[in-house]
Amino acid sequence: MKKIIIITSFLTIGFASNLQAQFTQLELFSGFDKTDFTLYSSYTINKSQTLSINTLAFFQKFKDEENQVFDEIGVQPTLFWNINKHIAIGPSLYYNSFAGYSERLSAKFTLKKSQVLFVLIPTVAHSEQKDAGYAEAFAQFQLNAPINDKVSLWLNGQFLTVWDEFKTHSRSFQQLRAGVSINGHQFGIGVDFDQYGPNPIKKSSFGLYYRKTL
C-alpha cells in the first residue's frame, strides 16, 4: 500500500509539472527526527481565471523506528472558484495514509501585499474510513524583507488543526521557517511541532529547509 501511495504522489507531482502551473513551490525539510517533502501548485483552467486547480502533495518520514507509525503521505487536488482576488471556494478529494479518502469543501481567504502573504482555509469534510464528518482549519503566512535585488530575508509559518465530528482533536501541526533567499533559492532553519490523537501525542523536530518557487 505504501508503494502505491508513493507512486500516486509522484504521479501527481509530474501531472502538475506537465501542466506548466502558474505557481509551483517545492520544499524539503530535514531535521534530527524526520524529513518532509512538500509540493504545492496552482494554475488557472479558464481564460477569465475564475477557476483554478490547487494540488498539494506531501511526504513525512520519521527517522527513529519507534516513530515510524507517524510516517505520513497526503495528496489533495482542489478545484477553486475564485470569487475575487481574496475569496475562493471549492471541493476537493483528499487521500491521507492515516485517514484514507475524504470528500471536502473549502473556502480560501487570501491577503497579499508585496512583502506579506496570509492564507486561511477552513474546511468541512466527510471521511470514508470513519464514515463521519470533520472540520479542519489551515493557515499560512509568509513575510519577506528584501536586502537587494537578489537577496531577501524570509519568515514562513504553516498551521493546521483537524477535529473529528467537529469536537474531538485528531491532528495538528505548527511549522516555522526562517531563512534567506538568494537568486530565488530559499534556505534556512526550521522547526515542526506535530500533535496526534484526542489526547495529543506530541512530536517536534528541528532542522534545515530548502524551498524553491518555480
Side-chain angles (χ1 to χ4, degrees):
M1 176 60 71
K2 184 172 288 187
K3 290 182 179 179
I4 294 174
I5 298 168
I6 293 173
I7 291 171
T8 302
S9 298
F10 281 102
L11 285 175
T12 302
I13 292 169
F15 180 70
S17 300
N18 288 335
L19 285 171
Q20 298 179 343
Q22 293 181 356
F23 173 86
T24 300
Q25 186 178 85
L26 305 170
E27 181 185 284
L28 176 65
F29 169 80
S30 186
F32 300 110
D33 299 298
K34 70 171 183 174
T35 295
D36 287 350
F37 174 76
T38 304
L39 174 141
Y40 178 77
S41 69
S42 177
Y43 55 92
T44 56
I45 59 176
N46 62 346
K47 291 183 179 180
S48 62
Q49 299 187 353
T50 56
L51 295 176
S52 62
I53 297 286
N54 291 12
T55 301
L56 171 68
F58 68 89
F59 172 73
Q60 172 179 278
K61 174 69 175 177
F62 281 88
K63 296 181 179 179
D64 293 339
E65 186 174 351
E66 65 183 25
N67 289 327
Q68 290 179 3
V69 293
F70 299 111
D71 290 355
E72 188 174 10
I73 293 173
V75 180
Q76 177 181 306
T78 304
L79 174 65
F80 274 119
W81 171 42
N82 302 301
I83 299 173
N84 54 46
K85 66 179 182 179
H86 299 297
I87 302 173
I89 189 171
S92 64
L93 178 65
Y94 179 46
Y95 180 83
N96 181 279
S97 54
F98 273 132
Y101 288 95
S102 61
E103 303 86 23
R104 300 154 57 90
L105 180 64
S106 301
K108 181 170 69 169
F109 304 94
T110 304
L111 295 175
K112 186 175 182 180
K113 300 291 185 179
S114 59
Q115 299 177 21
V116 179
L117 172 68
F118 176 77
V119 179
L120 175 64
I121 305 178
T123 297
V124 292
H126 177 267
S127 169
E128 292 291 337
Q129 185 180 81
K130 298 179 180 180
D131 192 23
Y134 67 91
E136 176 182 304
F138 173 82
Q140 179 189 54
F141 76 85
Q142 296 183 2
L143 174 65
N144 72 89
I147 297 176
N148 54 42
D149 291 341
K150 297 182 179 180
V151 180
S152 59
L153 301 177
W154 281 78
L155 180 64
N156 309 302
Q158 295 191 140
F159 310 90
L160 173 78
T161 185
V162 182
W163 292 77
D164 289 342
E165 299 181 351
F166 307 95
K167 61 182 180 180
T168 305
H169 180 268
S170 174
R171 175 77 165 99
S172 295
F173 66 66
Q174 302 82 42
Q175 301 174 343
L176 299 174
R177 309 284 186 261
V180 61
S181 177
I182 301 175
N183 290 326
H185 298 274
Q186 187 183 150
F187 53 90
I189 58 173
V191 58
D192 283 9
F193 300 103
D194 295 285
Q195 301 88 38
Y196 304 88
N199 298 307
I201 300 172
K202 299 179 181 180
K203 302 292 178 180
S204 61
S205 181
F206 295 86
L208 303 175
Y209 82 96
Y210 170 79
R211 177 180 291 183
K212 176 65 176 177
T213 301
L214 306 175

